[in-house]
Amino acid sequence: MKQPIKITITGAAGHIGYALVFRVASGEMFGSDQPLILRLLEVPSALSALNGVGMELEDGAFPLLYDVVLTDDPAIGFRETNYAILVGAKPRTKGMERKDLILDNAGIFAQQGRAINEHAAEDVRVLVVGNPANTNALIASANAPDIPITRFSAMTRLDHNRALGQLAKKTNTLVSHIQRMTVWGNHSLTQYPDIRHCRIQGKPALDWVTRDWAIDHFIPKIQRRGAAVIEARGLSSAASASAAIVDHMRDWVLGTPPKDWVSMAVHADGSYGIREGLFFSYPVICREGDYAIVQDLELDAFSKARLAASEQELQEERAMVERFLRP
Ligand code: NAX
């Protein structure tokens, strides 16, 4: 049997946390032969709810689950952790400006970045889910100067999966028939779900659908899917978000499928002309816990304009949180 790995999940008593922890405990993320220890971090006011989650984890009798630590102390939550999944964040409340939300959350991710730097295992990998996810990943990584920036990522996998789902539905195919989907940019309304490089059953996606459908229907639908789920359910996406977290971490650590890639927001290294110092969603191929940005995809004028708009938005977010970017 392998040695147990430690996985920290913040905001574990929240909606996504509640949908996520049981999937992780059952081995869906890293396989049915990988034992694990869960370290669940919450704010003090949610500790009672977190205790309930802990009780249900015990009641699940998961063979792979060696231990569960429940805490509101980041030093304990991130102690020797190998994988940190940062879901916990403040929700946007009525009357709150987007700027206030960004600044409120910036403090949380700066603090957690410092705690990860100080307490996590040397090989730690960090996924930021809490919004604004790209900018929060930038803040956490900036506050963890001892950890390579390539070990931080933010989640655009839910957008990627939504795009697969809608394209499969439109073309009457299965998501498993579709390869090389890309979501570029920010996890926000400026994201650019791009089917130009997609193949469906080996043929270009644009042989199956028109460019007009992609521009007028597909792109806005993916960009607004989160809002549509809230409208329908009265609550934001939780089950699909937790599925996307599992997919993101599994592919990052165990590798992306052959001849395919996935979308991850990672540190922009100048690829596709995006300025360094932002977390930007790119197509990536992962092997043995490392990602590589897929290079040399051709971008037409429409795509370039979409990437530029998302980059601009991320630069504005970065400017708002500049003071949190120093440890
Ligand atoms: P909830 O409000 O249900 O849960 C958030 C939990 O985080 C709460 O239990 C809260 O107590 C906890 N929390 C707050 N501050 C914390 C801190 N400093 N340390 C530890 N825990 C803390 O939200 P939920 O629906 O679970 O969503 C969580 C986050 O994911 C939100 O920011 C949301 O916007 C974001 N999302 C990001 C997605 C993505 O694709 N990147 C998609 C889904 C989701 O919308």
Side-chain angles (χ1 to χ4, degrees):
M1 204 64 172
K2 295 177 176 173
Q3 284 298 310
I5 52 173
K6 299 185 186 72
I7 304 174
T8 301
I9 299 174
T10 73
H15 289 107
I16 295 174
Y18 189 69
L20 176 65
V21 292
F22 303 97
R23 302 184 77 147
V24 176
S26 73
E28 270 185 64
M29 191 177 268
F30 294 132
S32 55
D33 62 344
Q34 178 59 70
L36 46 98
I37 294 167
L38 280 177
R39 309 184 81 89
L40 307 181
L41 178 66
E42 260 293 351
V43 291
S45 59
L47 277 183
S48 168
L50 187 66
N51 263 324
V53 174
M55 287 156 72
E56 286 201 70
L57 281 167
E58 285 175 12
D59 298 348
F62 296 103
L64 294 173
L65 188 57
Y66 279 28
D67 195 11
V68 181
V69 176
L70 310 175
T71 183
D72 61 356
D73 180 352
I76 297 173
F78 293 115
R79 184 173 298 159
E80 289 171 12
T81 200
N82 306 104
Y83 302 101
I85 303 173
L86 310 187
V87 180
K90 283 200 185 156
R92 191 166 174 169
T93 47
K94 218 174 164 194
M96 195 181 209
E97 299 284 330
R98 182 173 161 81
K99 188 172 179 183
D100 299 332
L101 178 78
I102 290 177
L103 291 176
D104 257 10
N105 278 311
I108 294 176
F109 288 85
Q111 183 207 32
Q112 293 185 351
R114 287 192 294 275
I116 290 169
N117 196 56
E118 206 168 317
H119 302 286
E122 235 174 75
D123 67 351
V124 67
R125 284 174 173 72
V126 183
L127 166 62
V128 177
V129 176
N131 277 318
N134 298 50
T135 295
N136 288 340
L138 175 69
I139 294 168
S141 66
N143 284 275
D146 301 334
I147 300 170
I149 200 160
T150 52
R151 303 262 205 74
F152 286 80
S153 62
M155 191 168 88
T156 49
R157 185 60 177 266
L158 179 54
D159 309 299
H160 178 103
N161 287 352
R162 285 167 172 161
L164 288 176
Q166 291 308 309
L167 189 58
K169 194 170 160 186
K170 172 72 178 172
T171 55
N172 210 11
T173 58
L174 301 175
V175 289
S176 58
H177 292 148
I178 305 176
Q179 290 174 316
R180 303 184 180 183
M181 177 64 75
T182 307
V183 173
W184 302 91
N186 197 4
H187 170 67
S188 74
L189 281 178
T190 67
Q191 66 174 270
Y192 171 40
D194 177 9
I195 63 165
R196 283 183 67 257
H197 310 283
C198 271
R199 302 187 80 79
I200 307 178
Q201 292 180 334
K203 286 190 294 194
L206 286 171
D207 287 358
W208 295 71
V209 296
T210 64
R211 193 168 177 273
D212 283 352
W213 174 79
I215 293 174
D216 297 336
H217 297 279
F218 171 77
I219 294 172
K221 187 159 197 171
I222 304 310
Q223 289 170 330
R224 295 172 194 284
R225 186 66 164 183
V229 170
I230 294 176
E231 179 74 27
R233 239 170 61 83
L235 290 167
S236 63
S237 307
S240 55
S242 82
I245 293 169
V246 169
D247 288 347
H248 178 117
M249 293 304 294
R250 184 200 57 229
D251 287 349
W252 189 7
V253 174
L254 303 179
T256 40
K259 296 186 182 161
D260 203 0
W261 63 60
V262 297
S263 306
M264 273 169 67
V266 296
H267 180 245
D269 58 359
S271 295
Y272 296 95
I274 304 302
R275 81 162 250 199
E276 288 185 40
L278 298 176
F279 271 70
F280 198 86
S281 182
Y282 283 111
V284 298
I285 290 174
C286 304
R287 295 278 172 270
E288 294 171 15
D290 292 322
Y291 67 81
I293 297 171
V294 176
Q295 298 294 335
D296 299 327
L297 295 176
E298 193 206 311
L299 298 179
D300 62 6
F302 176 85
S303 300
K304 283 183 185 157
R306 302 274 72 72
L307 265 67
S310 216
E311 179 188 20
Q312 172 67 28
E313 181 183 49
L314 283 166
Q315 292 212 41
E316 286 165 16
E317 288 185 14
R318 185 189 159 112
M320 282 183 222
V321 302
E322 203 68 54
R323 71 187 162 92
F324 293 94
L325 299 181
R326 285 174 298 275

